[in-house]
């Protein structure tokens, strides 16, 4: 995790590095720091906590210099203190680092034996001191970098500057993304193109094992064997323009309100509204002969994949396994010859999902990824990509990106179903119509703000909350629980409604809100019965349903929020928005840091 930035060029580096770090703060906000070269010497400012602390430090004690590196941290090794804040280094070298250096303990012992004295508990300092040692022994910065990179194991991205070298920045990538930006008489490096968006849109991505040497006019790239290589410079589509909060209090609120537009933008990519047909980009596998699909992802993206699994199995009759990536990669599952996989990720950089991708490809599975960032590592390494068109998502808790994932997976399920002869033209027209109505129905869900706020008033007082759903609403119940935990720190469980009687029912008393996602339809009666079982034991029943469901549930539910009646296929998308809005309202009531909840980061690039 963590975000890194570097700049070599003209003018003051620190203010622009700070600005770029703001766009990387989604990667972590435990501490931040910047180092520059001032009169040939390394100087740095660091602060514990969020970037505004560093901004205050810089305000009181500015950092001049036109060469610099910066870092925003999500702590892995060492507490989130100022002492452990990056950049790390010595008088000779300063280093910022995203990822984990796995063999840091053994290197540290070796370096201590050579007389290096460590000041922090970080794995990063090991790399900095290894560089220092090599420099002391007479290596040039380039020679030292080439040698040091061969000694470290793990997944990381690094950027470093050197005392006495005012026009030199060296960066490296192994398992964590890094982009080099080309400016006018200036060069940049950043964890992603978004960080560099206002500085330049000319970007080259380092490939696995690459390292690069930058001066103010050029970049020289080397591969893992130190051979000079060319890396394509492309014009990135990422723009910094869309990253403000507008008139909203939080990014999460803004992003919730972008649902209608995002769903519309995403669906119109893959649905033809007049013919009501799905039009997917070419798939990397034959949908008719593919024996089995693997779906894997992390966090909310995994819950979207779970919904996708229900849809694909039902509409296309293809067996699907769905697993969180961190389990999938170590489970050693037998993978069918000719099999394929669908990966889901907003960032396209999540370490476990990336590792799953590589494992799948080693096992000759064709990989289709559903990602929100066209230039991400996942998009670049997959056989094919279907993009969500959610735009940048800044709030750590995923909202619009999640529903855009659902929209894409729904289109994939219809497309696969049609190719396999299980979805007729009439079925396809009905299903696509339900999807095409999602943007306007999403707006109706957002209009239920006051009703959801009334439910939030009750939920905010609870210590434990249970979310229940069946079928595709089961993963959405888990999404509701995950969101609530993430941003309001209330313990919540998402459960399959029918499974409640096998354990969680023991927890039910008058203090536990039981929030059911219960639209009318084939599974309604079953879920309603489970709710009555909970009500009979004093449970406080709250429900998201539609007008038909409300008639029945109002008899025993304490609160009922009525969502548009849309049929079973589209219902999970609307319920997802409703539970996200509920979590948001609860978090606001509890006064938490909605966009940057404690301990979390948006893009998790460590295992
Ligand atoms: C983090 C974020 C979640 C996200 C998950 C997977 O945990 O906080 O919102 O769902 O990572 O991220 P991805 O970028 O792969 O969708």
């Amino acid at each position: 995790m963590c975000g890194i930035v570097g700049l070599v060029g003209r003018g003051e580096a620190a203010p622009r590095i700070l600005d770029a770090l703001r766009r990387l703060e989604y990667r972590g906000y435990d501490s931040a720091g910047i180092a520059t070269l001032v009169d040939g010497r390394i100087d740095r400012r660091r602060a514990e906590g969020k970037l505004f602390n560093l901004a205050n430090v810089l305000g009181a004690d500015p950092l001049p210099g036109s060469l610099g590196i910066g870092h925003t941290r999500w702590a892995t090794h060492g507490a989130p203190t100022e002492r452990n804040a990056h950049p790390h280094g010595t008088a000779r070298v300063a280093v910022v680092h995203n990822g984990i250096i796995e063999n840091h303990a053994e290197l540290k012992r070796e370096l201590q034996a050579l007389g290096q004295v460590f000041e922090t508990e970080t794995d990063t300092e090991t790399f900095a001191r290894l560089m220092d040692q090599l420099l002391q022994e007479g290596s040039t910065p380039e020679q030292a970098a080439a040698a040091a990179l061969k000694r470290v194991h793990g997944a990381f991205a690094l950027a470093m500057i050197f005392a006495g070298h005012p026009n030199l920045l060296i960066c490296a990538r192994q398992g964590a993304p890094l982009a080099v930006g080309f400016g006018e008489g200036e060069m940049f490096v950043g964890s992603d193109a978004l960080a560099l968006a206002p500085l330049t849109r000319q970007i080259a991505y380092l490939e696995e094992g690459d390292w690069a040497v930058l001066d103010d006019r050029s970049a020289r790239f080397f591969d893992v064997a130190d051979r000079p290589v060319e890396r394509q410079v492309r014009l990135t589509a990422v723009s910094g323009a869309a990253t403000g909060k507008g008139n909203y209090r939080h990014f999460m609120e803004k992003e919730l309100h972008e649902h209608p537009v995002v769903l519309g933008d995403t669906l119109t990519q893959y649905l033809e509204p007049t013919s009501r047909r799905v039009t997917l980009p070419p798939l990397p596998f034959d949908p008719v002969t593919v024996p089995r699909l693997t779906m894997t992802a992390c966090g909310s993206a995994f819950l979207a994949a779970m919904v996708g699994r229900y849809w694909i199995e039902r509409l296309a009759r293809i067996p699907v396994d769905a697993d969180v990536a961190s389990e999938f990669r170590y489970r050693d599952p037998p993978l069918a010859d000719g099999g394929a996989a669908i990966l889901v990720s907003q960032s396209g950089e999540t370490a476990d999902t990336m590792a799953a991708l590589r494992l799948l490809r080693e096992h000759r599975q064709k990989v289709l990824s559903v990602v929100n960032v066209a230039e991400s590592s996942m998009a670049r390494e997959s056989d094919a990509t279907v993009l969500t068109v959610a735009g940048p998502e800044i709030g750590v808790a995923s909202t619009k990106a999640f529903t855009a994932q659902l929209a894409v997976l729904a289109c994939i399920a219809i497309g696969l179903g049609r190719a396999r002869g299980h979805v007729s033209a009439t079925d396809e027209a009905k299903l696509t119509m339900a999807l095409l109505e999602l943007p306007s129905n999403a707006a109706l869900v957002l209009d239920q703000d006051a009703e959801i706020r009334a439910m939030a008033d009750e939920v905010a007082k609870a210590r434990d909350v249970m979310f229940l759903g069946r079928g595709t609403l089961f993963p959405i119940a888990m999404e509701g629980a995950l969101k609530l935990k993430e941003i309001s720190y209330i313990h919540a469980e998402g459960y399959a409604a029918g499974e409640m009687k096998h354990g969680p029912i023991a927890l039910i008393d008058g203090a536990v809100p039981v929030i059911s996602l219960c639209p009318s339809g084939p599974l309604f009666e079953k879920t309603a019965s489970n709710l009555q079982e909970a009500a009979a034991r004093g449970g406080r029943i709250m429900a998201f349903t539609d007008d038909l469901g409300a008639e029945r549930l109002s008899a025993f539910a304490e609160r009922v929020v009525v969502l548009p009646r849309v049929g079973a296929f589209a219902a999970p998308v609307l319920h997802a928005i409703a539970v996200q809005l509920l979590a948001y309202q609860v978090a606001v009531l509890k006064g938490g840091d909605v966009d940057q909840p404690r301990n979390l980061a948006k893009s998790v690039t460590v295992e």
Side-chain angles (χ1 to χ4, degrees):
M1 247 115 97
C2 308
I4 67 175
V5 178
L7 189 156
V8 46
R10 302 179 299 190
E12 296 251 306
R16 289 182 297 158
I17 291 175
L18 184 69
D19 187 50
L21 289 175
R22 288 199 176 98
R23 283 183 297 282
L24 288 177
E25 212 178 2
Y26 71 86
R27 289 170 160 263
Y29 30 80
D30 286 331
S31 66
I34 294 178
T36 61
L37 219 62
V38 184
D39 300 328
R41 286 200 311 272
I42 292 167
D43 198 359
R44 65 179 175 178
R45 306 281 181 274
R46 301 178 300 162
E48 193 176 316
K50 296 188 177 170
L51 268 176
F52 60 77
N53 294 339
L54 178 65
N56 289 340
V57 169
L58 285 165
D61 191 7
L63 194 56
S66 58
L67 167 69
I69 50 178
H71 188 267
T72 179
R73 180 170 189 237
W74 187 82
T76 60
H77 292 62
T81 56
E82 183 182 332
R83 193 161 56 93
N84 287 330
H86 299 220
H88 291 295
T90 65
R92 292 183 186 83
V93 60
V95 177
V96 287
H97 163 222
N98 161 33
I100 295 177
I101 293 167
E102 287 171 359
N103 57 335
H104 64 98
E106 135 201 355
L107 284 172
K108 185 171 178 176
R109 278 193 297 275
E110 182 184 321
L111 289 160
Q112 280 171 327
L114 292 170
Q116 290 281 350
V117 179
F118 282 71
E119 290 167 2
T120 76
E121 293 101 55
T122 64
D123 51 335
T124 311
E125 192 185 356
T126 314
F127 186 84
R129 294 210 170 264
L130 176 58
M131 286 294 296
D132 184 84
Q133 187 65 32
L134 292 161
L135 292 166
Q136 261 187 64
E137 289 167 7
S139 296
T140 64
E142 268 182 54
Q143 288 165 340
L149 287 167
K150 287 181 192 58
R151 299 290 320 277
V152 284
H153 308 151
F156 49 78
L158 291 155
M160 46 199 146
I161 58 174
F162 304 87
H165 294 268
N167 195 19
L168 175 67
L169 189 154
I170 298 183
C171 58
R173 170 206 164 130
Q174 179 176 308
L178 202 59
V180 169
F182 292 72
E184 298 282 320
E186 295 191 294
M187 295 290 292
F188 314 100
V189 60
S191 294
D192 67 20
L194 183 64
L196 304 182
L199 299 169
T200 181
R201 293 177 70 185
Q202 308 262 2
I203 299 285
Y205 288 95
L206 267 67
E207 293 183 9
E208 270 310 283
D210 278 0
W211 58 287
V213 180
L214 274 55
D215 60 28
D216 56 359
R217 286 173 199 275
S218 65
R220 285 180 290 129
F221 295 92
F222 301 92
D223 68 8
V224 70
D226 302 335
R227 286 179 298 240
V229 281
E230 294 292 321
R231 293 294 171 233
Q232 192 197 342
V233 182
R234 17 176 149 209
L235 193 63
T236 167
V238 177
S239 134
T243 51
K245 253 190 283 201
N247 291 327
Y248 293 98
R249 284 169 295 175
H250 302 102
F251 278 107
M252 187 175 176
E253 185 183 31
K254 171 176 174 251
E255 288 160 2
L256 276 162
H257 284 271
E258 284 171 359
H259 267 118
V261 172
V262 164
L263 286 168
D265 288 352
T266 300
L267 287 166
T268 47
Q269 295 290 311
Y270 310 114
L271 289 185
E272 173 44 58
T274 38
S275 63
R276 302 216 196 135
R277 278 178 70 97
V278 163
T279 50
L280 294 174
L283 298 177
F285 56 89
D286 180 350
V288 179
T289 56
V290 70
R292 200 170 188 91
L293 284 173
T294 300
M295 296 185 77
T296 189
C298 300
S300 291
F302 170 68
L303 300 175
M306 269 182 81
V307 177
R309 173 198 194 180
Y310 278 84
W311 281 333
I312 292 171
E313 290 197 329
R314 167 155 303 196
L315 295 177
R317 314 305 301 155
I318 304 173
V320 180
D321 293 312
D323 237 338
V324 286
S326 53
E327 285 301 311
F328 171 77
R329 53 186 293 206
Y330 297 115
R331 193 162 60 84
D332 195 18
L335 295 167
D337 281 347
I342 301 179
L343 306 190
V344 186
S345 174
Q346 187 282 125
S347 62
E349 302 294 351
T350 302
D352 283 314
T353 316
M354 277 305 296
L357 187 162
R358 290 174 185 145
L359 184 78
L360 284 157
R361 296 201 54 172
E362 269 167 35
H363 286 79
R364 293 184 303 282
Q365 305 290 294
K366 290 292 182 190
V367 177
L368 175 70
S369 63
V370 176
V371 297
N372 195 39
V373 183
E375 292 145 9
S376 58
S377 306
M378 220 170 284
R380 284 180 286 129
E381 290 189 31
S382 298
D383 295 297
T385 299
V386 189
L387 289 175
T388 49
V389 191
E393 191 180 66
I394 307 294
V396 163
S398 185
T399 51
K400 59 176 181 167
F402 176 78
T403 43
Q405 287 161 354
L406 292 180
V408 164
L409 292 168
C411 292
I412 291 174
I414 298 171
L416 295 177
R418 187 185 66 214
R420 290 169 66 90
H422 296 294
V423 170
S424 67
T426 324
D427 295 337
E428 185 172 5
K430 272 195 211 142
L431 294 167
T432 53
M433 201 54 220
L435 296 180
L436 288 166
E437 286 171 354
L438 275 174
S440 55
N441 283 323
L444 294 174
V445 175
L446 295 169
D447 287 347
Q448 294 300 306
D449 202 55
E451 296 296 312
I452 293 175
R453 163 75 203 257
M455 191 190 276
D457 281 335
E458 297 306 315
V459 174
K461 294 176 212 149
R463 208 186 56 185
D464 304 288
V465 177
M466 197 175 304
F467 286 80
L468 299 178
R470 272 179 190 260
T472 52
L473 275 309
F474 163 41
I476 304 299
M478 291 204 279
E479 168 67 1
L482 179 63
K483 282 281 162 299
L484 195 68
K485 279 187 276 212
E486 277 183 309
I487 58 173
S488 69
Y489 315 140
I490 294 176
H491 169 246
E493 302 262 359
Y495 241 81
E499 189 67 8
M500 183 191 65
K501 55 188 173 290
H502 297 291
I505 200 164
L507 298 174
I508 287 176
D509 61 20
V512 181
V514 178
I515 302 175
S516 88
L517 314 184
C518 192
S520 62
L523 299 175
F524 177 82
E525 282 304 332
K526 301 272 177 216
T527 310
S529 302
N530 300 136
L531 295 179
Q532 280 189 316
E533 290 154 16
R537 286 156 179 86
R540 300 178 61 188
I541 310 301
M542 306 188 185
F544 291 103
T545 181
D546 50 34
D547 53 345
L548 283 184
E551 280 175 29
R552 167 87 198 280
L553 299 178
S554 300
F556 58 91
E558 182 180 322
R559 292 210 169 267
V560 174
V561 175
V562 181
L563 306 180
R565 190 180 349 140
V566 290
F569 188 52
V573 183
L574 297 190
H575 280 73
I577 299 171
V579 294
Q580 290 169 355
L581 191 52
L582 174 69
Y584 173 74
Q585 301 281 26
V586 174
V588 171
L589 284 168
K590 297 205 73 161
D593 191 339
V594 176
D595 287 329
Q596 296 181 329
R598 70 183 177 212
N599 302 340
L600 293 175
K602 181 131 195 92
S603 180
V604 182
T605 55
V606 293
E607 276 187 49

